[in-house]
Amino acid sequence: MKGAVIGCGFFAQNQLEAWRDIEGVEIVALCDQDAERLNASAAAFNVERCYTDAAKMFEEGGFDFVDIATTVGSHRALVEMAAKAGVHIICQKPFAENMTDARAMVDAAKVAGKTLMVHENFRWQSPIQAALKIVKAGTIGEPFFGRVSFRSGYDVFSGQPYLAEGKRFIIEDLGIHILDIARAFFGDATRIAATTRRINPKINGEDVATMMLTHENGATSVVDCSYATQRTPETFPQSLLEIDGTLGTLRLDAGYRLTVQADGETQTDVSPPLLHWAQKPWHNIQESVLTIQQHFVDCINSGRQPETSGADNLKTLALVEAAYLAAEQGRTVKLADI
Ligand code: NAD
Ligand code: 89V
């Protein structure tokens, strides 16, 4: 399978490393508007075909899929270009700037008959997968309450300066992952309430968000995110879990400690492996990049839809939009209205 990558910035380096580890895949073309970044990645990953213009790259073709690793403002145009060129597509999160764009992107891939997956990788982290396996097996019975929590004081702005600039910050960039984890455990939501705060005066958007979701199955979940939390141990980039079920409880605590209490207690260390190209503390995220990209390849080879397909991600994106609306208007928002 031959692929092309658009965007050779901060995070794409992980995607390029992961592609190198996936059997049967070769990245044959790279594109970035910034020639310096383009050339650095081409040299590091030994890719000959380089483009500063995505349209030209699609025109010349010669690949089966494209991996779009640019920031959100370019996603719709690039996904539509890729669909028109008839290739399978992976697009980074946030998938789109608004629901209209997101729906148009899903339609474009559908019309082209091509697979569209959103690189929504947090649910693919191995500690989260370990917890999902236990909950799906029914070990703690029917979950009726959950808390998915991400609280940190880690400086994300040095690697990703654009995160300090936008009017929106934590729900759009990070909360989107945590809301998606809540969907993976408790299914789709019908309503959401939210509050937001900005603590760091040097950024434009909100860096604290607390959200409460009502799920279709009657479960309630609290999704809380903060980049203004100074604490020890610093848990970046761990998502912590607390789930109550009708037969017991599950907790994923700091340090990747998974505790299940249901007819006795088990404690397991579910630390993610440190891949040969990864660095702590990012190794948790980096491993999930490999897992989600392998999932994309497996889905194409077997004709399945990816778990985090474009169509599926519309529901995560709707939660983001609804959370901002709920916080702004101080009310509970129905997802059906988004
Ligand atoms: P970045 O700014 O470092 O890199 C983006 C690159 O895309 C830049 O080099 C830019 O020149 C290039 N680019 C932008 N528009 C282009 C276009 N139309 N054609 C060609 N090149 C173009 O950004 P980043 O930090 O690497 O983030 C990229 C995306 O990855 C964002 O959407 C971000 O939210 C996401 N991200 C995801 C995770 C995750 O765990 N899933 C982690 C970090 C970032
Ligand atoms: O995963 C992400 O989307 C990153 C970070 C972990 C820093 O929020 O932007």
Side-chain angles (χ1 to χ4, degrees):
M1 203 181 283
K2 291 188 165 66
V5 174
I6 308 180
C8 300
F10 172 78
F11 202 70
Q13 306 309 307
N14 299 311
Q15 293 168 230
L16 287 163
E17 291 284 5
W19 285 126
R20 253 203 305 219
D21 281 358
I22 296 177
E23 218 181 291
V25 172
E26 187 194 357
I27 298 301
V28 297
L30 290 182
C31 172
D32 199 302
Q33 285 169 342
D34 180 327
E36 209 173 303
R37 284 182 157 193
L38 176 65
N39 293 334
S41 292
F45 294 94
N46 204 17
V47 182
E48 278 177 18
R49 289 177 54 195
C50 292
Y51 301 84
T52 49
D53 177 8
K56 186 148 196 303
M57 186 180 81
F58 284 117
E59 209 181 287
E60 295 186 7
F63 45 88
D64 309 295
F65 74 89
V66 67
D67 187 6
I68 299 169
T70 60
T71 40
V72 66
S74 53
H75 287 177
R76 179 171 176 178
L78 293 173
V79 165
E80 287 181 342
M81 236 185 259
K84 216 166 150 203
V87 298
H88 299 296
I89 308 160
I90 307 180
C91 181
Q92 257 297 352
K93 51 58 64 177
F95 183 41
E97 286 179 310
N98 55 62
M99 293 305 296
T100 307
D101 283 357
R103 289 183 181 119
M105 290 151 78
V106 170
D107 285 349
K110 197 171 167 194
V111 167
K114 293 293 163 186
T115 297
L116 168 61
M117 182 183 85
V118 178
H119 190 120
E120 180 40 81
N121 51 328
F122 269 43
R123 68 161 75 184
W124 290 104
Q125 294 168 2
S126 53
I128 300 295
Q129 287 290 318
L132 270 170
K133 203 169 158 197
I134 289 163
V135 172
K136 300 278 179 215
T139 309
I140 62 163
E142 187 69 33
F144 59 86
F145 170 83
R147 177 179 177 207
V148 192
S149 179
F150 185 108
R151 311 193 77 77
S152 169
Y154 186 85
D155 172 22
V156 287
F157 309 107
S158 56
Q160 296 165 265
Y162 58 90
L163 294 178
E165 291 156 15
K167 193 168 155 259
R168 292 176 166 188
F169 168 40
I170 202 168
I171 301 178
E172 182 180 81
D173 181 70
L174 184 274
I176 196 167
H177 291 306
I178 313 305
L179 289 164
D180 191 68
I181 291 177
R183 285 190 56 233
F185 278 98
F186 311 111
D188 288 326
T190 54
R191 289 183 291 154
I192 185 167
T195 60
T196 57
R197 282 281 307 269
R198 178 168 61 92
I199 302 297
N200 181 348
K202 294 188 190 137
I203 66 170
N204 288 328
E206 82 292 349
D207 52 3
V208 179
T210 309
M211 297 163 268
M212 188 173 90
L213 285 67
T214 306
H215 294 267
E216 281 171 5
N217 62 4
T220 298
S221 68
V222 174
V223 170
D224 60 291
C225 308
S226 164
Y227 271 127
T229 301
Q230 314 296 331
R231 67 177 179 184
T232 309
E234 168 54 70
T235 50
F236 180 87
Q238 298 174 47
S239 303
L240 308 183
L241 300 170
E242 211 175 323
I243 302 175
D244 290 352
T246 49
L247 300 176
T249 64
L250 174 148
R251 283 201 332 264
L252 178 59
D253 291 314
Y256 303 109
R257 284 176 299 115
L258 183 65
T259 304
V260 180
Q261 292 176 339
D263 202 15
E265 176 175 306
T266 58
Q267 286 194 10
T268 322
D269 178 353
V270 289
S271 298
L274 181 66
L275 298 178
H276 64 95
W277 49 267
Q279 312 84 30
K280 286 183 177 179
W282 283 85
H283 64 302
N284 180 29
I285 293 181
Q286 288 166 317
E287 186 218 4
S288 67
V289 169
L290 177 61
T291 310
I292 195 172
Q293 290 180 186
Q294 181 69 62
H295 176 65
F296 177 75
V297 170
D298 293 345
C299 285
I300 289 178
N301 285 336
S302 63
R304 275 181 300 142
Q305 274 301 307
E307 198 176 305
T308 50
S309 67
D312 176 83
N313 198 258
L314 292 179
K315 295 174 186 169
T316 296
L317 210 55
L319 277 168
V320 169
E321 289 302 326
Y324 280 114
L325 194 61
E328 190 187 310
Q329 298 185 351
R331 66 179 176 93
T332 299
V333 171
K334 286 190 186 141
L335 272 303
D337 295 339
I338 298 296

